[in-house]
């Protein structure tokens, strides 16, 4: 080229045409008896009559392939350029090319015939003959012998009956739900004497391995806001997963049976559920099947989530695309829960969880467009979490963390004010409207009623009769005025007592009797702390939340001891559980439920105690001492305190067949405080 660079041109087609044209020219020359030197690489040219020699070459494609020289190799140089004659001698020092004697016309014709036949037999279509491209193969074997793809996709759930034992420990009692592939039961842990939930599946099912992996990862989560997975075992042809059982909790579907939740309760639900799910996602866990049946509300108002990862694995649910898709699935599920709590409708066309679905023509709507009177802030929050295109061009929320931040930015929703008793207005100062004072010891004539007239003599003079009538009328008027005045004063003096409790006896008004009829109100315990000033570490720290979770089946377990408290020199006097009520409360009663007989004292911090957690046992005031399994501390005089100490002074010895046989230990299943 002009700029000194080399042009790279594909000459394969040109070389083939030139070879064919040269061979055709050689045949013509041999037929005429004239021998002309030909160049193997000369280009095809048109003659003066306009005949295209390339067309003629195209008719001898088989001959050109048969007579074409072999491809150049290390011992055979490439064909010379088109401008170099075929008879040109090689340059000195270059290898001599292989030459053959010229063929006759008959030999060339026979070669052409054999070439056409061979081409018909052995030269298929290049496109068809080209081998199919194979995908690249991994040099390392990718087959996992543990792959479950060869296992059956559907396998019937194991058939079990009430009373069957699972794992020589769990006794099945009631089947809660059953599908084609698994069943869920309420069972009893015979070893720890508590209720549990059990999922059963055949170990030969494709999902069995995933269910075990999901259960083990959920057990490692360790978040008390989730229902804990206690065990996950494959035993022979059976796979079973054991979880906590909350007998006194109600799921969200049951809470919505009577209607939507009021705004404060809906706010508490979505806040607690979102915080728990966001914490699980930060640890790499997802629920993927968050429904109203999975959200449980305890008696203390705390929401707990059941079936994280396990419910989705049991039903073969999953996501594609990584953690971002899982976050969107759980966020949309929380939005559906809030939508149902605000509207008492399921946000999809189907009727689910005892809720009626939306009409099919309603799409991308906020809760406030479905039901009047919905809290505006919560309605917008539900729409942003549930819908991909929320109304009013609001930005959708796609992650639990983003939903938790949006909830934190909302104005606080206050709880509803308690309903006050009906107020009875005091009687007006009207003698005609005053009720008669209840006094069985005396009878009072009704106002305005005149006494019976005194019989007058039959014969009296007219003047004397008029005088008697005037005196009688005056007496009657004065009597009526006196009776009315007395009744007014008596009602003003006893009116409040008569209106408030007209049926009360004289002894019910005393302070002592009133206190005895008072119904104690439960006080929620905010936190439970191990109090062990005489030991080296916290006593039963791993199970502290179980003492206040409103579930008698879950127990706070103390550390085990070789000897009873104070039985030998050097043994400590006791250990304790410190209850935090959150703020100073008036306490009148405390109840405890132990699995084994335990002796404990109820104490409260003294007036000079600054920090109850670091105070010594002697700094607390003893309010009562009880022994047994179900004890009740009734205080004669209610006390006001924030902290209560349960000080254990005597533990029972564990039986030989139970955990830690022969050791001294206590198990507290439930504690309740009343005001």
């Amino acid at each position: 080229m002009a700029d000194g660079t080399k042009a790279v041109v594909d000459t394969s087609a040109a070389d083939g045409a030139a070879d064919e044209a040269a061979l055709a020219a050689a045949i013509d020359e041999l037929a005429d008896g004239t021998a002309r030197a030909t160049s193997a690489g000369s280009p095809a040219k048109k003659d003066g009559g306009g005949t295209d020699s390339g067309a003629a070459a195209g008719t001898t494609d088989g001959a050109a392939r048969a007579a074409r020289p072999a491809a150049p190799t290390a011992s055979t140089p490439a064909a010379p350029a088109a401008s170099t004659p075929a008879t040109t001698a090689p340059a000195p020092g270059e290898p001599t090319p292989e030459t053959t004697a010229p063929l006759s016309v008959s030999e060339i014709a026979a070669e052409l015939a054999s070439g056409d036949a061979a081409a018909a037999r052995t030269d298929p279509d290049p496109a068809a003959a080209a081998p199919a491209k194979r995908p690249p193969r991994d040099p390392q074997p990718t087959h996992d012998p543990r792959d479950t793809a060869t296992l059956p996709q559907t396998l019937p759930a194991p058939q079990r009956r009430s009373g069957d034992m699972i794992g020589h420990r769990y006794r099945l009692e009631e089947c809660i739900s059953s599908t084609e592939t698994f069943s869920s039961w309420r069972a009893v842990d015979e070893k720890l004497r508590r209720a549990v939930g059990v999922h059963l599946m055949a170990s030969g099912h494709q999902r069995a391995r995933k269910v075990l992996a999901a259960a083990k990862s959920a057990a490692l989560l360790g978040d008390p806001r989730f229902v804990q997975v206690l065990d996950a075992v494959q035993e022979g042809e059976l796979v079973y997963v054991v979880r906590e059982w909350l007998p006194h909790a109600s799921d969200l579907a049951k809470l919505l049976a009577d209607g939507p939740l009021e705004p404060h309760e809906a706010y508490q639900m979505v806040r607690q559920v979102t915080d728990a799910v966001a914490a699980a996602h930060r640890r790499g866990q997802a629920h993927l099947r968050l429904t109203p049946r999975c959200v449980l509300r305890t008696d203390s108002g705390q929401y707990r989530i059941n079936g994280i990862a396990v419910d989705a694995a049991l039903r073969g649910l999953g996501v594609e695309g990584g953690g971002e898709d899982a976050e969107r699935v759980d966020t949309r599920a929380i939005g559906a829960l809030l939508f149902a709590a605000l509207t008492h409708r399921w946000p999809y066309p189907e009727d689910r969880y005892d809720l009626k679905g939306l009409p099919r023509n309603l799409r991308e709507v906020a809760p406030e467009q479905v039901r009047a009177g919905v809290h505006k802030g919560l309605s917008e929050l539900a729409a942003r979490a549930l819908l991909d295109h929320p109304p009013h061009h609001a930005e959708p929320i796609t992650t639990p963390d983003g939903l938790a931040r949006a909830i934190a930015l909302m104005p606080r929703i206050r709880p509803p004010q308690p309903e006050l008793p009906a107020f009875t207005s005091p009687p007006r100062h009207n003698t005609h409207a005053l009720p008669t004072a209840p006094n069985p010891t005396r009878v009072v004539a009704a106002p305005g009623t005149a006494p019976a007239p005194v019989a007058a003599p039959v014969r009296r003079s007219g003047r004397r009769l008029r005088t008697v009538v005037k005196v009688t009328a005056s007496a009657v008027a004065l009597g009526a005025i006196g009776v009315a005045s007395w009744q007014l004063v008596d009602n003003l003096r006893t009116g409040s007592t008569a209106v408030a409790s007209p049926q009360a006896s004289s002894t019910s008004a005393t302070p002592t009797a009133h206190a005895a009829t008072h119904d104690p109100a439960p006080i929620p315990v905010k936190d439970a702390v191990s109090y062990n000033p005489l030991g080296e570490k916290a006593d039963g720290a791993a199970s502290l939340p179980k003492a206040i979770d409103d579930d008698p089946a879950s127990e706070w377990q103390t550390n085990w001891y070789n000897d009873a408290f104070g039985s030998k020199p050097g043994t400590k006097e006791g250990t304790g559980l410190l209850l935090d009520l959150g703020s100073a409360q008036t306490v009148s009663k405390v109840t405890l439920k132990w699995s084994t007989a335990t002796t404990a004292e109820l104490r409260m911090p003294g007036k000079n105690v600054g920090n109850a957690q670091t105070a010594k046992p002697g700094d607390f005031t003893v309010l009562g001492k009880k022994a047994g399994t179900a004890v009740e501390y009734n205080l004669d005089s209610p006390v006001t305190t924030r902290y209560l100490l349960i000080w254990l002074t005597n533990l029972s010895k564990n039986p030989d067949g139970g955990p830690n046989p022969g050791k001294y230990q206590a198990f507290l299943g439930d504690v309740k405080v009343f005001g």
Side-chain angles (χ1 to χ4, degrees):
M1 296 180 69
D3 57 356
T5 60
K6 295 181 180 180
V8 180
V9 181
D10 185 7
T11 61
S12 58
D15 291 344
D19 291 343
E20 294 171 356
L23 183 59
I27 294 173
D28 293 339
E29 290 177 358
L30 290 174
D32 295 339
T34 61
R36 293 181 299 179
T38 60
S39 174
S42 59
K45 296 181 181 180
K46 292 183 180 181
D47 56 12
T51 303
D52 190 356
S53 60
T59 62
T60 60
D61 182 58
R65 286 196 299 269
R68 185 178 302 166
T73 62
S75 61
T76 305
S83 60
T84 305
T87 58
T88 303
E94 294 182 358
T96 302
E98 183 179 355
T99 59
T100 59
L103 300 176
S104 64
V105 175
S106 59
E107 291 173 339
I108 292 176
E111 187 74 11
L112 290 174
S114 63
D116 290 337
R121 291 193 309 268
T122 63
D123 193 8
D125 185 15
K133 292 185 179 180
R134 297 181 179 180
R137 303 183 66 181
D138 190 354
Q140 299 296 332
T142 57
H143 176 67
D144 187 356
R146 298 173 300 173
D147 187 12
T148 60
T150 59
L151 297 176
Q153 293 184 357
T154 58
L155 201 63
Q159 296 295 326
R160 292 294 185 272
R161 298 180 180 178
S162 298
D164 291 353
M165 294 295 294
I166 302 298
H168 305 287
R169 177 174 178 176
Y170 305 104
R171 187 182 75 251
L172 302 181
E173 289 197 345
E174 180 185 0
C175 183
I176 304 303
S177 62
S178 179
T179 66
E180 295 181 355
T181 56
F182 72 94
S183 59
S184 301
W185 293 76
R186 176 177 60 84
V188 175
D189 185 351
E190 295 288 350
K191 185 176 181 180
L192 298 180
R193 303 180 299 277
R194 62 180 178 182
V196 294
V198 178
H199 299 298
L200 300 180
M201 172 179 278
S203 59
H205 197 281
Q206 267 194 353
R207 304 175 194 166
R209 192 177 299 276
K210 293 183 179 180
V211 169
L212 287 175
K216 292 176 181 178
S217 63
L220 295 176
L221 190 60
D223 193 328
R225 293 171 291 189
F226 293 91
V227 176
Q228 301 297 304
V229 174
L230 306 175
D231 206 353
V233 180
Q234 177 177 345
E235 187 178 82
E237 298 180 354
L238 185 66
V239 166
Y240 60 89
V241 177
V242 184
R243 64 171 180 86
E244 279 186 292
W245 184 264
L246 305 180
H248 302 294
S250 301
D251 58 49
L252 185 59
K254 184 177 180 180
L255 296 177
L256 295 177
D258 297 331
L261 301 182
E262 57 93 14
H264 179 264
E265 188 64 29
Y267 169 78
Q268 291 294 330
M269 183 275 296
V270 71
R271 181 182 62 83
Q272 295 183 34
V273 171
T274 302
D275 290 345
V277 174
H281 275 273
R282 286 193 293 269
R283 298 188 58 179
Q285 292 287 343
H287 196 289
L288 303 181
R289 195 179 179 274
L290 196 58
T291 67
R293 301 289 187 193
C294 299
V295 179
L296 308 177
R297 184 184 184 275
T298 63
D299 292 342
S300 62
Q302 298 176 348
Y303 284 90
R304 300 185 66 182
I305 302 174
N306 183 27
I308 181 169
V310 177
D311 278 11
L314 286 170
R315 292 164 175 82
L317 302 179
V319 293
E320 298 179 358
E324 183 178 357
D325 291 340
E327 289 182 339
R328 185 68 186 108
V329 169
D330 282 349
T331 305
R332 183 179 286 110
I334 298 175
L337 294 178
L338 182 57
F339 190 103
L342 295 174
T343 63
H344 197 237
R345 298 288 293 271
W346 189 239
Y348 300 102
E350 301 82 9
D351 297 344
R352 299 292 301 276
Y353 311 108
D354 299 330
L355 297 174
K356 189 176 181 181
L358 294 180
R360 295 187 178 275
N361 58 350
L362 284 183
R363 296 183 179 180
E364 304 288 330
V365 294
E368 60 183 348
Q369 298 174 274
V370 177
R371 177 176 173 267
V374 174
H375 188 277
K376 186 175 181 60
L378 293 176
S379 174
E380 180 182 356
L381 189 72
R384 294 179 61 192
L386 176 64
L387 307 176
D388 293 328
H389 304 286
H392 311 299
H393 305 286
E395 182 180 358
I397 302 175
T398 58
T399 64
D401 272 329
L403 185 58
R405 290 192 295 269
I407 294 174
L409 294 176
M410 287 184 58
R412 181 181 178 185
I413 301 178
R414 299 184 178 276
Q417 296 295 331
E419 295 184 1
L420 297 177
F423 175 74
T424 304
S425 59
R428 297 180 179 179
H429 299 287
N430 185 355
T431 58
H432 298 283
L434 290 174
T436 304
N439 191 347
T441 59
R442 87 188 139 179
V443 179
V444 180
T449 302
V454 180
V458 178
R459 296 179 180 180
R460 294 187 179 216
S461 61
R463 184 174 180 182
R464 187 182 177 107
L465 182 60
R466 287 193 297 270
T467 304
V468 172
V469 171
K470 290 181 181 179
V471 172
T472 302
S474 300
V476 169
L478 291 175
I481 294 174
V483 170
S485 300
W486 171 86
Q487 189 174 11
L488 176 62
V489 173
D490 186 67
N491 278 277
L492 291 177
R493 186 188 311 164
T494 63
S496 58
T497 305
V499 172
S501 56
Q503 302 296 332
S505 63
S506 59
T507 58
S508 63
T510 61
T512 303
H514 178 73
T517 59
H518 172 66
D519 187 14
I523 300 175
V525 180
K526 301 299 183 182
D527 194 13
V529 182
S530 176
Y531 179 79
N532 192 19
L534 306 180
E536 298 179 355
K537 60 180 180 179
D539 204 330
S543 57
L544 283 171
K546 296 182 179 181
I548 57 174
D549 62 355
D550 294 328
D551 183 9
S554 62
E555 300 171 328
W556 170 64
Q557 303 178 10
T558 65
N559 300 336
W560 56 265
Y561 299 92
N562 292 321
D563 302 300
F565 290 149
S567 60
K568 296 181 181 179
T571 58
K572 62 181 184 180
E573 300 176 359
T575 186
L577 181 68
L578 188 64
L579 306 178
D580 184 5
L581 306 181
S583 61
Q585 302 285 343
T586 301
V587 179
S588 61
K589 184 174 70 171
V590 177
T591 61
L592 304 176
K593 291 184 180 179
W594 306 92
S595 294
T596 57
T598 306
T599 303
E601 297 177 352
L602 180 64
R603 301 186 178 188
M604 62 175 288
K607 296 181 179 180
N608 299 326
V609 174
N611 188 351
Q613 299 183 17
T614 59
K616 297 180 180 180
D619 297 334
F620 288 81
T621 302
V622 179
L623 302 177
K625 184 176 182 179
K626 298 283 185 177
T629 56
V631 298
E632 183 175 308
Y633 300 91
N634 288 307
L635 306 182
D636 296 335
S637 299
V639 297
T640 302
T641 181
R642 174 179 176 178
Y643 295 96
L644 291 172
L645 174 62
I646 302 173
W647 181 246
L648 285 69
T649 59
N650 189 14
L651 310 180
S652 295
K653 193 174 184 179
N654 292 335
D656 294 336
N660 304 321
K663 306 297 183 181
Y664 291 87
Q665 198 171 7
F667 303 88
L668 179 60
D670 188 34
V671 54
K672 292 188 180 300
V673 181
F674 299 89

